[in-house]
Amino acid sequence: MFRRPQSGRQHKQTENEVKKKIRAIQYGVGPIGASIVRLMREKQAIEIIGAIDTDPAKAGRDLGEVVGAPDAPWSVKISGEAKDVLEQNADVVIHSTSSSLPNVMDQLLACLEAESSIVSTCEELSYPFRTYPELAAQLDAAAKESGVALVGTGVNPGFVMDKLVVTLAAVSQRIQHAKALRIVDASKRRLPLQKKIGAGMTVEEFRAQAKAGVIKHVGLPESVAMVADSFNLPVEQITETIEPKVAAERMPTEYLTVEPGQAAGVHQIARGFSKDGTELVYLELQMFVGAKDPADTVLLTGHPNISLVIPGGSHGDIATASVVVNSIPVILEARAGLRTSRDLPIGFFSPNARP
């Protein structure tokens, strides 16, 4: 049974108080936001009360129709004015607008000011304490002032290469090195992701865009930091490399075609080193069109050694929406402040769970 928190510092309810549905707002109605909304709609314990998106093609339209729901319309209008929507006093805002934490700070602070908890897909929010310590402290203070909690999560970062790694260590007595490998066939993924990994670019275009920070999967350094801190591994330096996976043959997808010699996607490696240069954490992501044998693999070196392979891997779009929605009841029960996926005892949020 989930308790709907009161606003402000009156965060917890007593067992004698009336239970109500979780009031949720969707902030950002792109492909991932739409997937999240459709999943929230299946939960009896959630009532979607509003949606925010600045796209003029979406603002003013019915949310159910925009996300392609079979039971649309829902009588929930998308608004381009965040302030008006946030004034509805939602229990939680599901935030999915950008991967960059600096770019979404104003959005997150506005949600906290409205005394709403937040579950965000912003990758840099997943573990921002090393990359953006000042922004992390600002969000933590604002959340505590409003008596609510926020978390950045998803499938990666948020689960496969950090939360899952940390969870597996529960059956270990000592960890010396952590490794995770994720291989994803991007041909099955949405168009924005295929573009984000440079599919269809020349190798020269890919390298230029990668150097500019445009082409990359965001979040690997954050996952390295989370794993290192969770295991108390003395990581002093985190490095990251990004190279193109070059297509050997023509590979069409639903949205584009990758020709031989073009970039099919990214080969990205993030590593955590101790002060003396010893590697302690190794995370490798291969995400490209036509990847063979996709899988998620975790290898822990310690006492004992532990290995796990998920054949086929965790489907990115489905898993991201699942992790986000499954985090809703957990973030509402969390202590006020900035939280991370390693802090939260995430489980399955049943569609027929009672409010």
Side-chain angles (χ1 to χ4, degrees):
M1 183 173 291
F2 306 111
R3 299 195 296 268
R4 175 178 176 267
Q6 296 174 338
S7 62
R9 296 177 183 82
Q10 302 296 320
H11 186 71
K12 303 294 184 183
Q13 291 183 309
T14 68
E15 290 299 319
N16 295 326
E17 290 174 301
V18 176
K19 309 300 187 296
K20 297 182 180 179
K21 283 193 173 187
I22 298 169
R23 291 162 52 84
I25 288 172
Q26 177 64 39
Y27 200 140
V29 194
I32 289 296
S35 180
I36 291 168
V37 165
R38 290 192 297 269
L39 183 56
M40 283 200 293
R41 181 73 172 182
E42 298 177 11
K43 309 297 184 181
Q44 293 183 19
I46 295 179
E47 177 186 5
I48 303 172
I49 64 170
I52 304 164
D53 198 295
T54 56
D55 184 352
K58 298 174 184 174
R61 295 178 58 193
D62 182 84
L63 177 61
E65 293 177 345
V66 169
V67 303
D71 61 340
W74 294 349
S75 298
V76 176
K77 297 294 184 183
I78 300 173
S79 174
E81 300 296 328
K83 185 175 184 296
D84 295 342
V85 180
L86 294 176
E87 286 178 349
Q88 296 181 78
N89 298 318
D91 299 310
V92 64
V93 174
I94 308 304
H95 174 268
S96 52
T97 64
S98 173
S99 300
S100 166
L101 182 55
N103 288 350
V104 302
M105 278 296 292
D106 289 345
Q107 298 173 359
L108 297 173
L109 290 171
C111 296
L112 297 176
E113 185 178 356
E115 299 182 340
S116 297
S117 290
I118 304 169
V119 180
S120 176
T121 61
C122 176
E123 289 93 337
E124 291 185 340
L125 181 62
S126 63
Y127 202 81
F129 309 107
R130 296 197 188 205
T131 312
Y132 299 108
E134 293 180 358
L135 299 185
Q138 184 180 0
L139 289 170
D140 185 55
K144 288 175 178 175
E145 175 66 23
S146 292
V148 295
L150 75 158
V151 66
T153 193
V155 66
N156 186 37
F159 185 72
V160 172
M161 302 180 91
D162 39 46
K163 176 71 169 181
L164 179 60
V165 177
V166 173
T167 302
L168 283 176
V171 294
S172 178
Q173 296 182 5
R174 185 171 58 255
I175 298 294
Q176 299 164 319
H177 183 274
K179 177 179 179 179
L181 168 64
R182 179 163 165 80
I183 301 175
V184 179
D185 181 6
S187 66
K188 307 292 195 299
R189 301 292 296 277
R190 64 193 188 281
L191 176 60
L193 182 134
Q194 292 181 13
K195 289 184 174 180
K196 187 171 74 171
I197 62 172
M201 289 185 175
T202 66
V203 171
E204 293 74 18
E205 289 172 335
F206 181 100
R207 294 192 187 280
Q209 292 294 302
K211 186 176 181 179
V214 176
I215 297 300
K216 70 178 296 185
H217 173 77
V218 180
L220 281 189
E222 284 75 15
S223 293
V224 170
M226 186 190 300
V227 170
D229 290 349
S230 298
F231 294 159
N232 201 27
L233 297 174
V235 167
E236 295 287 336
Q237 180 186 16
I238 296 175
T239 65
E240 185 176 30
T241 60
I242 304 171
E243 295 291 336
K245 292 290 288 189
V246 180
E249 58 186 12
R250 189 172 189 269
M251 293 181 290
T253 76
E254 180 182 352
Y255 307 105
L256 52 80
T257 298
V258 179
E259 300 292 346
Q262 291 183 332
V266 299
H267 184 194
Q268 205 162 322
I269 299 173
R271 305 166 77 190
F273 297 92
S274 66
K275 190 175 183 179
D276 66 3
T278 301
E279 181 189 276
L280 300 172
V281 181
Y282 177 97
L283 303 182
E284 179 179 354
L285 174 68
Q286 298 182 30
M287 183 181 291
F288 60 101
V289 173
K292 306 298 183 185
D293 302 319
D296 294 327
T297 303
V298 177
L299 300 169
L300 299 179
T301 302
H303 180 63
N305 294 336
I306 301 168
S307 64
L308 172 73
V309 179
I310 303 176
S314 305
H315 188 288
D317 296 346
I318 295 173
T320 294
S322 301
V323 172
V324 168
V325 176
N326 286 334
S327 297
I328 291 174
V330 180
I331 201 66
L332 293 177
E333 293 294 331
R335 290 182 297 111
L338 175 59
R339 303 290 158 230
T340 71
S341 61
R342 76 167 185 166
D343 304 326
L344 304 179
I346 186 172
F348 179 63
F349 184 8
S350 173
N352 59 1
R354 303 282 301 191

